[in-house]
Amino acid sequence: GQQVMQIPQYQHVQEGEDFTTYCNSSTTLSNIQWYKQRPGGHPVFLIQLVKSGEVKKQKRLTFQFGEAKKNSSLHITATQTTDVGTYFCAGGYQKVTFGTGTKLQVIP
Amino acid sequence: DAGVIQSPRHEVTEMGQEVTLRCKPISGHNSLFWYRQTMMRGLELLIYFNNNVPIDDSGMPEDRFSAKMPNASFSTLKIQPSEPRDSAVYFCASSGTGGDTQYFGPGTRLTVL
């Protein structure tokens, strides 16, 4: 079945540093979604990418969908303590497969 | 607008007991998903419904697990009998027609002793 891996599994950064998480699928994806889960919370939708090579920005967050639609990345510029949480990518329509997640810790 | 509602928020039970988790999706959404989250296995899709019909239950771990959606505003996930390895956070999520965005409920933290 489809597998979606994310690296790194954990990342500790100093506040103000940049952060990137990478998402790789074993199969071509129709779309990619990104979710954020705060500690003790539930996944919250951030964004969806559909087109090959698509890049979208949300303030300090930049999302990219690979040309082959098998990988994606999320980059956060100048991290803040509010960015703490686990970031998941998810691919597919209806039967969405969630990635393994990257847990981000920001040290003030 | 109310989001996805799940109950109970926390459940502690003993091995062998029946557990029923409940979910009320967002009004107007036609797809409903049940997930299980553990440290070891991450976020796993157990089953999803479209227009109250189960579409894919391949993620249901075994026959002890069953899910129903009797109407568009209610779903249950039942575990009978429960085992300690079922301890996890169970999330329900819903999405609208033609949409992929899933809206998650707050989850039910299940502990089986």
Side-chain angles (χ1 to χ4, degrees), chain A residues 10-57:
Chain A
Y10 301 97
Q11 183 82 59
H12 291 76
V13 299
Q14 203 75 34
E15 187 173 18
E17 291 181 341
D18 292 356
F19 159 77
T20 304
T21 173
Y22 299 91
C23 174
N24 293 286
S25 170
S26 58
T27 59
T28 302
L29 300 169
S30 58
N31 58 45
I32 193 89
Q33 299 170 36
W34 284 92
Y35 291 78
K36 176 183 178 181
Q37 184 176 21
R38 294 183 186 274
H42 58 276
V44 175
F45 174 80
L46 295 176
I47 207 163
Q48 175 172 273
L49 305 171
V50 179
K51 299 177 183 177
S52 169
E54 188 172 10
V55 177
K56 286 188 177 180
K57 292 189 175 184

Side-chain angles (χ1 to χ4, degrees), chain A residues 4-5 7 10 14 30 39 44 46-49 52-53 56-57 60 62 65 68-69 72 77 79 81 86 91:
Chain A
V4 182
M5 303 296 293
I7 55 171
Y10 301 97
Q14 203 75 34
S30 58
V44 175
L46 295 176
I47 207 163
Q48 175 172 273
L49 305 171
S52 169
K56 286 188 177 180
K57 292 189 175 184
R60 295 178 294 103
T62 301
F65 201 7
K69 300 184 78 172
S72 181
T77 303
T79 55
T81 54
T86 301

Side-chain angles (χ1 to χ4, degrees), chain B residues 64-91:
Chain B
R64 298 184 298 106
F65 286 69
S66 63
K68 294 182 179 179
M69 191 165 186
N71 57 63
S73 58
F74 184 66
S75 177
T76 59
L77 177 67
K78 186 176 294 187
I79 308 173
Q80 166 64 19
S82 58
E83 296 182 3
R85 60 192 168 120
D86 301 331
S87 298
V89 179
Y90 290 82
F91 289 106

